[in-house]
Amino acid sequence: MAQLAPPQRPLGRSGLQVSALGFGAMHLQDARLSEAEAGRLLNQVLDLGISLIDTARSYGLSEERIGRHLAHRRDEFLLSTKLGYGVEGVADWSYACIVQGVERALRLMRCEWLDIAHLHSCPLPLLQRGELTRALLDCQRAGKLRVAAYSGDNAELAHTLACGDFGSVQTSLSLCDQINLSGALQRAEQAGIGLIVKRPVAGAIWHRPQRPGDHAEGQYWDRWQALALPDTLLEEAGERDWTALALRFAAHAPGVSSALTGTAKLAHLQANLAAVQRGPLPEAVLRRLRRDFRPDWTGLI
């Protein structure tokens, strides 16, 4: 039986629709993934009905591979990228870097416009100067992108939600990173700003026997140990795996437009999609998942 496509949701008031499950294309930077495998995976993403693909300047081969393998299907999906650094010949976090970064992304991904372009974890003092936001909005006015966006957390996220210049944000939400549930999600929804969730499964740290060395995943591992969630919650949710439960927790949180997951394996993508299709978690499970989350556990860069 064919797998049902994920539901489509509004991206705030942008007029765009995104799938409740989006594809994070970070894994495409892995050179061990052959071109044939990359092309097959990207086309399978679209065949499953996933209509949002998210990449970044820092994802290596990802943008180039998206252009190579999906340019002929450009009208079937929304293309999101993140920028602000790594453009040859110009300073990071400058007006020229944003404008040339957009041009570079268009060239690599072989398209005429970006649907969503994020300032990628831009520090607050630079955001407050306004130059980078102006560059992004100038690109939008020129027809090179449709939605100006920001990707990040904490004070920077609060600034972008309040300033009125951004149509969408990308921020963290997971069992181990719930701080945005009590503020950012509500502010985004009230302001008509689209909200894309990154790291919804927190690196699946429940499968890690030891603390990961990565900063964010290490912090998630510590929080997971402290939460000590009982396996009986899986049974109450009708799940056998924490990854599926975590995806339902993030993708069905109020105000969320789409939750991003990345993988190089079709079977994992299909399992993620099936989890989201099972809908929101029961209220009793949600209450237990939120009960022991500490308010000082802020978002992680």
Side-chain angles (χ1 to χ4, degrees):
M1 181 181 295
Q3 188 160 13
L4 293 175
Q8 301 291 312
R9 296 172 176 169
L11 184 71
R13 296 180 189 147
S14 68
L16 303 180
Q17 296 277 322
V18 293
S19 50
L21 183 72
F23 180 71
M26 179 183 290
H27 288 78
L28 294 180
Q29 68 183 322
D30 190 343
R32 294 172 298 180
L33 191 70
S34 72
E35 281 304 313
E37 290 168 330
R40 185 161 53 250
L41 176 64
L42 283 166
N43 280 277
Q44 288 166 335
V45 166
L46 299 189
D47 292 342
L48 288 171
I50 294 172
S51 65
L52 174 63
I53 294 180
D54 179 78
T55 183
R57 171 66 183 93
S58 57
Y59 293 178
L61 290 168
S62 177
E63 289 181 315
E64 183 179 346
R65 284 177 158 178
I66 289 169
R68 183 176 299 127
H69 299 293
L70 290 186
H72 67 293
R73 300 181 69 174
R74 182 64 183 89
D75 60 346
E76 297 180 43
F77 67 101
L78 296 187
L79 182 53
S80 163
T81 195
K82 301 182 286 293
L83 41 81
Y85 49 85
V87 177
E88 299 78 3
V90 297
D92 291 351
W93 302 117
S94 63
Y95 182 96
C97 187
I98 301 303
V99 173
Q100 292 185 36
V102 168
E103 292 286 357
R104 178 188 179 281
L106 293 173
R107 183 173 65 255
L108 283 181
M109 293 191 279
R110 306 184 188 186
C111 58
E112 298 179 1
W113 76 91
L114 304 172
D115 293 294
I116 312 166
H118 302 80
L119 299 178
H120 195 186
S121 299
C122 177
L124 182 60
L126 296 179
L127 277 175
Q128 292 172 325
R129 261 181 18 204
E131 176 187 16
L132 304 179
T133 304
R134 179 168 56 87
L136 206 58
L137 293 175
D138 284 349
C139 290
Q140 184 181 37
R141 283 187 282 268
K144 297 175 182 179
L145 62 96
R146 300 170 77 179
V147 178
Y150 178 78
S151 175
D153 291 284
N154 303 320
E156 290 83 0
L157 176 64
H159 170 82
T160 57
L161 289 173
C163 73
D165 291 323
F166 295 86
S168 185
V169 294
Q170 184 175 142
T171 194
S172 303
L173 177 64
S174 70
L175 300 179
C176 303
D177 204 345
Q178 302 182 31
I179 197 69
N180 288 321
L181 281 174
S182 58
L185 269 69
Q186 295 171 8
R187 291 194 296 273
E189 189 172 23
Q190 290 166 0
I193 296 172
L195 197 142
I196 298 170
V197 168
K198 62 179 180 177
R199 300 173 178 161
V201 300
I205 42 77
W206 33 84
H207 293 316
R208 306 289 188 93
Q210 295 179 327
R211 189 183 192 275
D214 176 82
H215 170 70
E217 291 186 1
Q219 292 293 309
Y220 288 157
W221 196 88
D222 292 340
R223 294 177 183 185
W224 180 251
Q225 307 308 309
L227 287 169
L229 295 172
D231 286 343
T232 53
L233 281 177
L234 290 173
E235 184 177 349
E236 290 181 48
E239 298 292 352
R240 288 188 269 180
D241 182 79
W242 284 107
T243 299
L245 184 147
L247 268 175
R248 291 172 65 189
F249 175 83
H252 294 288
V256 169
S257 303
S258 184
L260 299 171
T261 59
T263 180
K265 296 183 178 180
L266 177 63
H268 291 170
L269 190 61
Q270 291 172 320
N272 292 343
L273 180 55
V276 171
Q277 294 284 24
R278 289 194 284 276
L281 295 169
E283 282 298 322
V285 173
L286 288 172
R287 286 195 297 271
R288 178 61 183 85
L289 292 171
R290 298 200 62 184
R291 189 186 76 185
D292 297 329
F293 188 84
R294 290 168 35 184
D296 61 316
W297 286 346
T298 56
L300 301 173
I301 300 302

